[in-house]
PDB file of all heavy atoms in Angstrom:
ATOM      1  N   ALA A  30      15.725  -5.305   5.184  1.00 97.00           N
ATOM      2  CA  ALA A  30      15.434  -4.976   6.560  1.00 97.00           C
ATOM      3  C   ALA A  30      14.038  -5.546   6.929  1.00 97.00           C
ATOM      4  O   ALA A  30      13.268  -5.935   6.052  1.00 97.00           O
ATOM      5  CB  ALA A  30      15.456  -3.467   6.839  1.00 97.00           C
ATOM      6  N   ASP A  31      13.775  -5.624   8.229  1.00 97.00           N
ATOM      7  CA  ASP A  31      12.443  -5.944   8.723  1.00 97.00           C
ATOM      8  C   ASP A  31      11.639  -4.639   8.627  1.00 97.00           C
ATOM      9  O   ASP A  31      11.575  -3.905   9.600  1.00 97.00           O
ATOM     10  CB  ASP A  31      12.520  -6.468  10.140  1.00 97.00           C
ATOM     11  CG  ASP A  31      11.154  -6.869  10.695  1.00 97.00           C
ATOM     12  OD1 ASP A  31      10.079  -6.538  10.071  1.00 97.00           O
ATOM     13  OD2 ASP A  31      11.097  -7.516  11.761  1.00 97.00           O
ATOM     14  N   THR A  32      11.055  -4.392   7.507  1.00 97.00           N
ATOM     15  CA  THR A  32      10.420  -3.115   7.295  1.00 97.00           C
ATOM     16  C   THR A  32       9.138  -2.939   8.073  1.00 97.00           C
ATOM     17  O   THR A  32       8.709  -1.836   8.391  1.00 97.00           O
ATOM     18  CB  THR A  32      10.131  -2.886   5.792  1.00 97.00           C
ATOM     19  OG1 THR A  32       9.268  -3.896   5.298  1.00 97.00           O
ATOM     20  CG2 THR A  32      11.451  -2.877   5.009  1.00 97.00           C
ATOM     21  N   ILE A  33       8.460  -4.072   8.408  1.00 97.00           N
ATOM     22  CA  ILE A  33       7.257  -4.013   9.220  1.00 97.00           C
ATOM     23  C   ILE A  33       7.598  -3.430  10.586  1.00 97.00           C
ATOM     24  O   ILE A  33       6.893  -2.526  11.103  1.00 97.00           O
ATOM     25  CB  ILE A  33       6.588  -5.364   9.369  1.00 97.00           C
ATOM     26  CG1 ILE A  33       6.125  -5.842   7.988  1.00 97.00           C
ATOM     27  CG2 ILE A  33       5.426  -5.352  10.339  1.00 97.00           C
ATOM     28  CD1 ILE A  33       5.659  -7.307   7.957  1.00 97.00           C
ATOM     29  N   LEU A  34       8.732  -3.891  11.135  1.00 97.00           N
ATOM     30  CA  LEU A  34       9.176  -3.331  12.395  1.00 97.00           C
ATOM     31  C   LEU A  34       9.564  -1.889  12.274  1.00 97.00           C
ATOM     32  O   LEU A  34       9.234  -1.045  13.085  1.00 97.00           O
ATOM     33  CB  LEU A  34      10.398  -4.182  12.915  1.00 97.00           C
ATOM     34  CG  LEU A  34      11.050  -3.730  14.220  1.00 97.00           C
ATOM     35  CD1 LEU A  34      10.034  -3.819  15.385  1.00 97.00           C
ATOM     36  CD2 LEU A  34      12.283  -4.553  14.538  1.00 97.00           C
ATOM     37  N   LEU A  35      10.336  -1.575  11.202  1.00 97.00           N
ATOM     38  CA  LEU A  35      10.795  -0.187  11.000  1.00 97.00           C
ATOM     39  C   LEU A  35       9.624   0.801  10.894  1.00 97.00           C
ATOM     40  O   LEU A  35       9.629   1.857  11.523  1.00 97.00           O
ATOM     41  CB  LEU A  35      11.632  -0.081   9.719  1.00 97.00           C
ATOM     42  CG  LEU A  35      13.019  -0.706   9.757  1.00 97.00           C
ATOM     43  CD1 LEU A  35      13.703  -0.500   8.411  1.00 97.00           C
ATOM     44  CD2 LEU A  35      13.896  -0.100  10.868  1.00 97.00           C
ATOM     45  N   VAL A  36       8.620   0.427  10.110  1.00 97.00           N
ATOM     46  CA  VAL A  36       7.501   1.303   9.906  1.00 97.00           C
ATOM     47  C   VAL A  36       6.721   1.539  11.211  1.00 97.00           C
ATOM     48  O   VAL A  36       6.345   2.674  11.562  1.00 97.00           O
ATOM     49  CB  VAL A  36       6.531   0.727   8.810  1.00 97.00           C
ATOM     50  CG1 VAL A  36       5.286   1.569   8.734  1.00 97.00           C
ATOM     51  CG2 VAL A  36       7.223   0.690   7.466  1.00 97.00           C
ATOM     52  N   ASN A  37       6.463   0.471  11.962  1.00 96.00           N
ATOM     53  CA  ASN A  37       5.731   0.607  13.200  1.00 96.00           C
ATOM     54  C   ASN A  37       6.533   1.275  14.288  1.00 96.00           C
ATOM     55  O   ASN A  37       5.940   2.001  15.101  1.00 96.00           O
ATOM     56  CB  ASN A  37       5.244  -0.746  13.667  1.00 96.00           C
ATOM     57  CG  ASN A  37       3.995  -1.221  12.876  1.00 96.00           C
ATOM     58  OD1 ASN A  37       2.862  -0.813  13.163  1.00 96.00           O
ATOM     59  ND2 ASN A  37       4.213  -2.058  11.854  1.00 96.00           N
ATOM     60  N   GLU A  38       7.827   1.174  14.274  1.00 97.00           N
ATOM     61  CA  GLU A  38       8.671   1.949  15.196  1.00 97.00           C
ATOM     62  C   GLU A  38       8.562   3.417  14.853  1.00 97.00           C
ATOM     63  O   GLU A  38       8.539   4.251  15.778  1.00 97.00           O
ATOM     64  CB  GLU A  38      10.109   1.477  15.104  1.00 97.00           C
ATOM     65  CG  GLU A  38      10.372   0.171  15.826  1.00 97.00           C
ATOM     66  CD  GLU A  38      11.852  -0.267  15.731  1.00 97.00           C
ATOM     67  OE1 GLU A  38      12.594   0.272  14.858  1.00 97.00           O
ATOM     68  OE2 GLU A  38      12.254  -1.115  16.561  1.00 97.00           O
ATOM     69  N   GLU A  39       8.525   3.749  13.602  1.00 96.00           N
ATOM     70  CA  GLU A  39       8.392   5.119  13.176  1.00 96.00           C
ATOM     71  C   GLU A  39       7.086   5.734  13.657  1.00 96.00           C
ATOM     72  O   GLU A  39       7.051   6.836  14.184  1.00 96.00           O
ATOM     73  CB  GLU A  39       8.487   5.205  11.638  1.00 96.00           C
ATOM     74  CG  GLU A  39       8.903   6.552  11.112  1.00 96.00           C
ATOM     75  CD  GLU A  39      10.399   6.814  11.267  1.00 96.00           C
ATOM     76  OE1 GLU A  39      11.131   5.919  11.786  1.00 96.00           O
ATOM     77  OE2 GLU A  39      10.846   7.904  10.903  1.00 96.00           O
ATOM     78  N   LEU A  40       6.017   4.978  13.530  1.00 96.00           N
ATOM     79  CA  LEU A  40       4.705   5.438  13.985  1.00 96.00           C
ATOM     80  C   LEU A  40       4.654   5.575  15.502  1.00 96.00           C
ATOM     81  O   LEU A  40       4.096   6.522  16.050  1.00 96.00           O
ATOM     82  CB  LEU A  40       3.589   4.505  13.506  1.00 96.00           C
ATOM     83  CG  LEU A  40       3.333   4.438  12.010  1.00 96.00           C
ATOM     84  CD1 LEU A  40       2.398   3.348  11.623  1.00 96.00           C
ATOM     85  CD2 LEU A  40       2.757   5.805  11.510  1.00 96.00           C
ATOM     86  N   SER A  41       5.268   4.620  16.194  1.00 96.00           N
ATOM     87  CA  SER A  41       5.304   4.651  17.633  1.00 96.00           C
ATOM     88  C   SER A  41       6.076   5.854  18.190  1.00 96.00           C
ATOM     89  O   SER A  41       5.828   6.342  19.279  1.00 96.00           O
ATOM     90  CB  SER A  41       5.936   3.369  18.212  1.00 96.00           C
ATOM     91  OG  SER A  41       5.136   2.218  17.920  1.00 96.00           O
ATOM     92  N   ALA A  42       7.091   6.283  17.390  1.00 95.00           N
ATOM     93  CA  ALA A  42       7.900   7.426  17.759  1.00 95.00           C
ATOM     94  C   ALA A  42       7.174   8.766  17.410  1.00 95.00           C
ATOM     95  O   ALA A  42       7.785   9.845  17.527  1.00 95.00           O
ATOM     96  CB  ALA A  42       9.226   7.391  17.078  1.00 95.00           C
ATOM     97  N   LYS A  43       5.945   8.662  16.957  1.00 95.00           N
ATOM     98  CA  LYS A  43       5.129   9.856  16.630  1.00 95.00           C
ATOM     99  C   LYS A  43       5.654  10.622  15.425  1.00 95.00           C
ATOM    100  O   LYS A  43       5.466  11.845  15.310  1.00 95.00           O
ATOM    101  CB  LYS A  43       5.021  10.825  17.837  1.00 95.00           C
ATOM    102  CG  LYS A  43       4.528  10.152  19.130  1.00 95.00           C
ATOM    103  CD  LYS A  43       3.135   9.547  18.940  1.00 95.00           C
ATOM    104  CE  LYS A  43       2.647   8.937  20.247  1.00 95.00           C
ATOM    105  NZ  LYS A  43       1.317   8.276  20.089  1.00 95.00           N
ATOM    106  N   ARG A  44       6.289   9.863  14.494  1.00 95.00           N
ATOM    107  CA  ARG A  44       6.726  10.472  13.266  1.00 95.00           C
ATOM    108  C   ARG A  44       5.779  10.027  12.131  1.00 95.00           C
ATOM    109  O   ARG A  44       5.191   8.937  12.190  1.00 95.00           O
ATOM    110  CB  ARG A  44       8.153  10.068  12.932  1.00 95.00           C
ATOM    111  CG  ARG A  44       9.181  10.672  13.915  1.00 95.00           C
ATOM    112  CD  ARG A  44      10.595  10.446  13.450  1.00 95.00           C
ATOM    113  NE  ARG A  44      11.025   9.090  13.690  1.00 95.00           N
ATOM    114  CZ  ARG A  44      11.634   8.666  14.791  1.00 95.00           C
ATOM    115  NH1 ARG A  44      11.910   9.515  15.748  1.00 95.00           N
ATOM    116  NH2 ARG A  44      12.022   7.391  14.929  1.00 95.00           N
ATOM    117  N   ARG A  45       5.642  10.846  11.165  1.00 95.00           N
ATOM    118  CA  ARG A  45       4.660  10.604  10.067  1.00 95.00           C
ATOM    119  C   ARG A  45       5.228   9.725   9.011  1.00 95.00           C
ATOM    120  O   ARG A  45       6.371   9.856   8.595  1.00 95.00           O
ATOM    121  CB  ARG A  45       4.159  11.896   9.500  1.00 95.00           C
ATOM    122  CG  ARG A  45       3.271  12.728  10.461  1.00 95.00           C
ATOM    123  CD  ARG A  45       2.279  13.543   9.730  1.00 95.00           C
ATOM    124  NE  ARG A  45       1.270  12.715   9.050  1.00 95.00           N
ATOM    125  CZ  ARG A  45       0.072  12.387   9.533  1.00 95.00           C
ATOM    126  NH1 ARG A  45      -0.291  12.823  10.691  1.00 95.00           N
ATOM    127  NH2 ARG A  45      -0.783  11.658   8.847  1.00 95.00           N
ATOM    128  N   VAL A  46       4.355   8.780   8.542  1.00 97.00           N
ATOM    129  CA  VAL A  46       4.704   7.795   7.521  1.00 97.00           C
ATOM    130  C   VAL A  46       3.738   7.932   6.370  1.00 97.00           C
ATOM    131  O   VAL A  46       2.518   8.053   6.556  1.00 97.00           O
ATOM    132  CB  VAL A  46       4.660   6.355   8.084  1.00 97.00           C
ATOM    133  CG1 VAL A  46       4.878   5.366   6.976  1.00 97.00           C
ATOM    134  CG2 VAL A  46       5.733   6.201   9.191  1.00 97.00           C
ATOM    135  N   LEU A  47       4.294   7.971   5.138  1.00 96.00           N
ATOM    136  CA  LEU A  47       3.445   8.055   3.955  1.00 96.00           C
ATOM    137  C   LEU A  47       3.479   6.687   3.238  1.00 96.00           C
ATOM    138  O   LEU A  47       4.558   6.126   2.988  1.00 96.00           O
ATOM    139  CB  LEU A  47       3.981   9.112   3.019  1.00 96.00           C
ATOM    140  CG  LEU A  47       3.255   9.347   1.695  1.00 96.00           C
ATOM    141  CD1 LEU A  47       1.835   9.797   1.986  1.00 96.00           C
ATOM    142  CD2 LEU A  47       3.971  10.402   0.869  1.00 96.00           C
ATOM    143  N   LEU A  48       2.316   6.166   2.934  1.00 97.00           N
ATOM    144  CA  LEU A  48       2.194   4.887   2.245  1.00 97.00           C
ATOM    145  C   LEU A  48       1.798   5.170   0.805  1.00 97.00           C
ATOM    146  O   LEU A  48       0.751   5.719   0.515  1.00 97.00           O
ATOM    147  CB  LEU A  48       1.131   4.011   2.930  1.00 97.00           C
ATOM    148  CG  LEU A  48       1.326   3.833   4.452  1.00 97.00           C
ATOM    149  CD1 LEU A  48       0.174   3.012   5.055  1.00 97.00           C
ATOM    150  CD2 LEU A  48       2.643   3.189   4.779  1.00 97.00           C
ATOM    151  N   GLU A  49       2.636   4.737  -0.135  1.00 94.00           N
ATOM    152  CA  GLU A  49       2.530   5.119  -1.553  1.00 94.00           C
ATOM    153  C   GLU A  49       2.124   3.890  -2.390  1.00 94.00           C
ATOM    154  O   GLU A  49       2.847   2.888  -2.407  1.00 94.00           O
ATOM    155  CB  GLU A  49       3.876   5.653  -2.049  1.00 94.00           C
ATOM    156  CG  GLU A  49       3.891   5.972  -3.518  1.00 94.00           C
ATOM    157  CD  GLU A  49       5.282   6.370  -4.031  1.00 94.00           C
ATOM    158  OE1 GLU A  49       6.261   6.106  -3.346  1.00 94.00           O
ATOM    159  OE2 GLU A  49       5.357   6.905  -5.178  1.00 94.00           O
ATOM    160  N   GLY A  50       1.018   4.015  -3.063  1.00 91.00           N
ATOM    161  CA  GLY A  50       0.601   2.938  -3.962  1.00 91.00           C
ATOM    162  C   GLY A  50       1.043   3.192  -5.376  1.00 91.00           C
ATOM    163  O   GLY A  50       1.297   4.315  -5.788  1.00 91.00           O
ATOM    164  N   ALA A  51       1.157   2.108  -6.145  1.00 90.00           N
ATOM    165  CA  ALA A  51       1.404   2.191  -7.568  1.00 90.00           C
ATOM    166  C   ALA A  51       0.107   1.893  -8.290  1.00 90.00           C
ATOM    167  O   ALA A  51      -0.880   1.459  -7.709  1.00 90.00           O
ATOM    168  CB  ALA A  51       2.461   1.186  -7.979  1.00 90.00           C
ATOM    169  N   GLN A  52       0.028   2.124  -9.596  1.00 91.00           N
ATOM    170  CA  GLN A  52      -1.209   1.964 -10.358  1.00 91.00           C
ATOM    171  C   GLN A  52      -2.342   2.712  -9.700  1.00 91.00           C
ATOM    172  O   GLN A  52      -2.154   3.794  -9.186  1.00 91.00           O
ATOM    173  CB  GLN A  52      -1.525   0.475 -10.525  1.00 91.00           C
ATOM    174  CG  GLN A  52      -0.541  -0.269 -11.483  1.00 91.00           C
ATOM    175  CD  GLN A  52       0.663  -0.803 -10.710  1.00 91.00           C
ATOM    176  OE1 GLN A  52       0.590  -1.324  -9.616  1.00 91.00           O
ATOM    177  NE2 GLN A  52       1.775  -0.687 -11.342  1.00 91.00           N
ATOM    178  N   ALA A  53      -3.558   2.137  -9.651  1.00 95.00           N
ATOM    179  CA  ALA A  53      -4.661   2.928  -9.160  1.00 95.00           C
ATOM    180  C   ALA A  53      -5.913   2.055  -8.887  1.00 95.00           C
ATOM    181  O   ALA A  53      -5.906   0.834  -9.179  1.00 95.00           O
ATOM    182  CB  ALA A  53      -5.039   4.020 -10.170  1.00 95.00           C
ATOM    183  N   THR A  54      -6.960   2.694  -8.400  1.00 97.00           N
ATOM    184  CA  THR A  54      -8.170   1.978  -7.984  1.00 97.00           C
ATOM    185  C   THR A  54      -8.748   1.107  -9.076  1.00 97.00           C
ATOM    186  O   THR A  54      -9.107  -0.035  -8.823  1.00 97.00           O
ATOM    187  CB  THR A  54      -9.229   2.997  -7.520  1.00 97.00           C
ATOM    188  OG1 THR A  54      -8.734   3.739  -6.407  1.00 97.00           O
ATOM    189  CG2 THR A  54     -10.523   2.302  -7.157  1.00 97.00           C
ATOM    190  N   PHE A  55      -8.830   1.604 -10.316  1.00 96.00           N
ATOM    191  CA  PHE A  55      -9.469   0.861 -11.380  1.00 96.00           C
ATOM    192  C   PHE A  55      -8.532  -0.150 -12.054  1.00 96.00           C
ATOM    193  O   PHE A  55      -8.951  -0.772 -13.033  1.00 96.00           O
ATOM    194  CB  PHE A  55     -10.121   1.822 -12.372  1.00 96.00           C
ATOM    195  CG  PHE A  55     -11.391   2.416 -11.827  1.00 96.00           C
ATOM    196  CD1 PHE A  55     -11.296   3.614 -11.096  1.00 96.00           C
ATOM    197  CD2 PHE A  55     -12.579   1.772 -11.907  1.00 96.00           C
ATOM    198  CE1 PHE A  55     -12.444   4.183 -10.502  1.00 96.00           C
ATOM    199  CE2 PHE A  55     -13.726   2.339 -11.339  1.00 96.00           C
ATOM    200  CZ  PHE A  55     -13.666   3.507 -10.636  1.00 96.00           C
ATOM    201  N   LEU A  56      -7.322  -0.266 -11.513  1.00 95.00           N
ATOM    202  CA  LEU A  56      -6.438  -1.361 -11.900  1.00 95.00           C
ATOM    203  C   LEU A  56      -6.317  -2.376 -10.754  1.00 95.00           C
ATOM    204  O   LEU A  56      -5.512  -3.306 -10.853  1.00 95.00           O
ATOM    205  CB  LEU A  56      -5.052  -0.815 -12.275  1.00 95.00           C
ATOM    206  CG  LEU A  56      -5.027   0.023 -13.582  1.00 95.00           C
ATOM    207  CD1 LEU A  56      -3.649   0.617 -13.758  1.00 95.00           C
ATOM    208  CD2 LEU A  56      -5.415  -0.810 -14.784  1.00 95.00           C
ATOM    209  N   ASP A  57      -7.097  -2.192  -9.703  1.00 96.00           N
ATOM    210  CA  ASP A  57      -7.017  -3.087  -8.551  1.00 96.00           C
ATOM    211  C   ASP A  57      -7.552  -4.462  -8.951  1.00 96.00           C
ATOM    212  O   ASP A  57      -8.521  -4.570  -9.673  1.00 96.00           O
ATOM    213  CB  ASP A  57      -7.860  -2.524  -7.416  1.00 96.00           C
ATOM    214  CG  ASP A  57      -7.696  -3.287  -6.137  1.00 96.00           C
ATOM    215  OD1 ASP A  57      -8.411  -4.293  -5.973  1.00 96.00           O
ATOM    216  OD2 ASP A  57      -6.899  -2.903  -5.260  1.00 96.00           O
ATOM    217  N   LEU A  58      -6.904  -5.510  -8.447  1.00 96.00           N
ATOM    218  CA  LEU A  58      -7.264  -6.884  -8.816  1.00 96.00           C
ATOM    219  C   LEU A  58      -8.678  -7.179  -8.461  1.00 96.00           C
ATOM    220  O   LEU A  58      -9.382  -7.949  -9.138  1.00 96.00           O
ATOM    221  CB  LEU A  58      -6.296  -7.850  -8.157  1.00 96.00           C
ATOM    222  CG  LEU A  58      -6.426  -9.334  -8.457  1.00 96.00           C
ATOM    223  CD1 LEU A  58      -6.285  -9.625  -9.929  1.00 96.00           C
ATOM    224  CD2 LEU A  58      -5.431 -10.153  -7.631  1.00 96.00           C
ATOM    225  N   ASP A  59      -9.166  -6.671  -7.314  1.00 96.00           N
ATOM    226  CA  ASP A  59     -10.543  -6.933  -6.881  1.00 96.00           C
ATOM    227  C   ASP A  59     -11.541  -5.877  -7.204  1.00 96.00           C
ATOM    228  O   ASP A  59     -12.735  -6.174  -7.409  1.00 96.00           O
ATOM    229  CB  ASP A  59     -10.544  -7.137  -5.348  1.00 96.00           C
ATOM    230  CG  ASP A  59      -9.811  -8.385  -4.928  1.00 96.00           C
ATOM    231  OD1 ASP A  59     -10.322  -9.486  -5.221  1.00 96.00           O
ATOM    232  OD2 ASP A  59      -8.740  -8.274  -4.309  1.00 96.00           O
ATOM    233  N   TYR A  60     -11.127  -4.612  -7.302  1.00 96.00           N
ATOM    234  CA  TYR A  60     -12.072  -3.510  -7.434  1.00 96.00           C
ATOM    235  C   TYR A  60     -11.979  -2.773  -8.827  1.00 96.00           C
ATOM    236  O   TYR A  60     -12.792  -1.901  -9.102  1.00 96.00           O
ATOM    237  CB  TYR A  60     -11.830  -2.482  -6.324  1.00 96.00           C
ATOM    238  CG  TYR A  60     -12.037  -3.035  -4.966  1.00 96.00           C
ATOM    239  CD1 TYR A  60     -10.961  -3.386  -4.162  1.00 96.00           C
ATOM    240  CD2 TYR A  60     -13.323  -3.288  -4.490  1.00 96.00           C
ATOM    241  CE1 TYR A  60     -11.143  -3.921  -2.894  1.00 96.00           C
ATOM    242  CE2 TYR A  60     -13.506  -3.843  -3.217  1.00 96.00           C
ATOM    243  CZ  TYR A  60     -12.414  -4.148  -2.435  1.00 96.00           C
ATOM    244  OH  TYR A  60     -12.603  -4.716  -1.168  1.00 96.00           O
ATOM    245  N   GLY A  61     -11.031  -3.188  -9.641  1.00 95.00           N
ATOM    246  CA  GLY A  61     -10.833  -2.584 -10.897  1.00 95.00           C
ATOM    247  C   GLY A  61     -11.650  -3.167 -12.027  1.00 95.00           C
ATOM    248  O   GLY A  61     -12.577  -4.008 -11.823  1.00 95.00           O
ATOM    249  N   THR A  62     -11.377  -2.728 -13.236  1.00 93.00           N
ATOM    250  CA  THR A  62     -12.092  -3.197 -14.438  1.00 93.00           C
ATOM    251  C   THR A  62     -11.506  -4.539 -14.907  1.00 93.00           C
ATOM    252  O   THR A  62     -10.903  -4.630 -15.994  1.00 93.00           O
ATOM    253  CB  THR A  62     -12.036  -2.136 -15.533  1.00 93.00           C
ATOM    254  OG1 THR A  62     -10.663  -1.741 -15.753  1.00 93.00           O
ATOM    255  CG2 THR A  62     -12.912  -0.951 -15.194  1.00 93.00           C
ATOM    256  N   TYR A  63     -11.718  -5.526 -14.098  1.00 92.00           N
ATOM    257  CA  TYR A  63     -11.188  -6.900 -14.344  1.00 92.00           C
ATOM    258  C   TYR A  63     -11.726  -7.448 -15.679  1.00 92.00           C
ATOM    259  O   TYR A  63     -12.875  -7.235 -16.001  1.00 92.00           O
ATOM    260  CB  TYR A  63     -11.642  -7.817 -13.177  1.00 92.00           C
ATOM    261  CG  TYR A  63     -11.063  -9.189 -13.178  1.00 92.00           C
ATOM    262  CD1 TYR A  63      -9.863  -9.397 -12.461  1.00 92.00           C
ATOM    263  CD2 TYR A  63     -11.635 -10.233 -13.873  1.00 92.00           C
ATOM    264  CE1 TYR A  63      -9.300 -10.670 -12.466  1.00 92.00           C
ATOM    265  CE2 TYR A  63     -11.053 -11.487 -13.843  1.00 92.00           C
ATOM    266  CZ  TYR A  63      -9.877 -11.712 -13.127  1.00 92.00           C
ATOM    267  OH  TYR A  63      -9.320 -12.964 -13.111  1.00 92.00           O
ATOM    268  N   PRO A  64     -10.873  -8.142 -16.469  1.00 90.00           N
ATOM    269  CA  PRO A  64      -9.505  -8.561 -16.202  1.00 90.00           C
ATOM    270  C   PRO A  64      -8.418  -7.591 -16.574  1.00 90.00           C
ATOM    271  O   PRO A  64      -7.230  -7.896 -16.498  1.00 90.00           O
ATOM    272  CB  PRO A  64      -9.391  -9.850 -17.066  1.00 90.00           C
ATOM    273  CG  PRO A  64     -10.196  -9.508 -18.277  1.00 90.00           C
ATOM    274  CD  PRO A  64     -11.366  -8.679 -17.793  1.00 90.00           C
ATOM    275  N   PHE A  65      -8.822  -6.380 -17.010  1.00 91.00           N
ATOM    276  CA  PHE A  65      -7.830  -5.378 -17.438  1.00 91.00           C
ATOM    277  C   PHE A  65      -7.308  -4.598 -16.233  1.00 91.00           C
ATOM    278  O   PHE A  65      -7.562  -3.380 -16.086  1.00 91.00           O
ATOM    279  CB  PHE A  65      -8.463  -4.454 -18.482  1.00 91.00           C
ATOM    280  CG  PHE A  65      -9.059  -5.184 -19.659  1.00 91.00           C
ATOM    281  CD1 PHE A  65     -10.414  -5.471 -19.718  1.00 91.00           C
ATOM    282  CD2 PHE A  65      -8.229  -5.638 -20.650  1.00 91.00           C
ATOM    283  CE1 PHE A  65     -10.934  -6.150 -20.799  1.00 91.00           C
ATOM    284  CE2 PHE A  65      -8.767  -6.353 -21.706  1.00 91.00           C
ATOM    285  CZ  PHE A  65     -10.121  -6.619 -21.787  1.00 91.00           C
ATOM    286  N   VAL A  66      -6.628  -5.342 -15.363  1.00 92.00           N
ATOM    287  CA  VAL A  66      -6.165  -4.820 -14.091  1.00 92.00           C
ATOM    288  C   VAL A  66      -4.737  -5.291 -13.810  1.00 92.00           C
ATOM    289  O   VAL A  66      -4.169  -6.032 -14.617  1.00 92.00           O
ATOM    290  CB  VAL A  66      -7.092  -5.304 -12.956  1.00 92.00           C
ATOM    291  CG1 VAL A  66      -8.504  -4.723 -13.112  1.00 92.00           C
ATOM    292  CG2 VAL A  66      -7.140  -6.845 -12.913  1.00 92.00           C
ATOM    293  N   THR A  67      -4.160  -4.814 -12.760  1.00 92.00           N
ATOM    294  CA  THR A  67      -2.900  -5.298 -12.284  1.00 92.00           C
ATOM    295  C   THR A  67      -3.081  -6.503 -11.381  1.00 92.00           C
ATOM    296  O   THR A  67      -4.242  -6.939 -11.197  1.00 92.00           O
ATOM    297  CB  THR A  67      -2.086  -4.147 -11.606  1.00 92.00           C
ATOM    298  OG1 THR A  67      -0.701  -4.555 -11.477  1.00 92.00           O
ATOM    299  CG2 THR A  67      -2.701  -3.809 -10.241  1.00 92.00           C
ATOM    300  N   SER A  68      -2.025  -7.020 -10.841  1.00 93.00           N
ATOM    301  CA  SER A  68      -2.112  -8.274 -10.082  1.00 93.00           C
ATOM    302  C   SER A  68      -1.994  -8.083  -8.563  1.00 93.00           C
ATOM    303  O   SER A  68      -1.673  -9.001  -7.834  1.00 93.00           O
ATOM    304  CB  SER A  68      -1.029  -9.253 -10.523  1.00 93.00           C
ATOM    305  OG  SER A  68      -1.186  -9.550 -11.896  1.00 93.00           O
ATOM    306  N   SER A  69      -2.296  -6.853  -8.082  1.00 96.00           N
ATOM    307  CA  SER A  69      -2.182  -6.562  -6.687  1.00 96.00           C
ATOM    308  C   SER A  69      -3.307  -5.602  -6.330  1.00 96.00           C
ATOM    309  O   SER A  69      -4.179  -5.293  -7.121  1.00 96.00           O
ATOM    310  CB  SER A  69      -0.806  -5.982  -6.339  1.00 96.00           C
ATOM    311  OG  SER A  69      -0.550  -4.798  -7.117  1.00 96.00           O
TER     312      SER A  69
END
């Protein structure tokens, strides 16, 4: 699906959306303990 459209339609309809991350801050490609990090 066009999930960008779906998510923003949900927000426009005043319904709550939860954005779920995997891994964590210190595995972040830019902010983590590089190079022992993930790729996103």
Side-chain angles (χ1 to χ4, degrees):
D31 181 348
T32 61
I33 296 171
L34 178 62
L35 289 180
V36 172
N37 282 278
E38 284 181 342
E39 203 76 2
L40 292 171
S41 296
K43 307 300 181 183
R44 292 188 285 269
R45 291 211 65 96
V46 173
L47 181 62
L48 308 177
E49 175 187 16
Q52 291 87 40
T54 299
F55 286 89
L56 292 175
D57 188 277
L58 184 60
D59 292 293
Y60 300 104
T62 50
Y63 189 91
F65 305 98
V66 294
T67 193
S68 300
S69 58

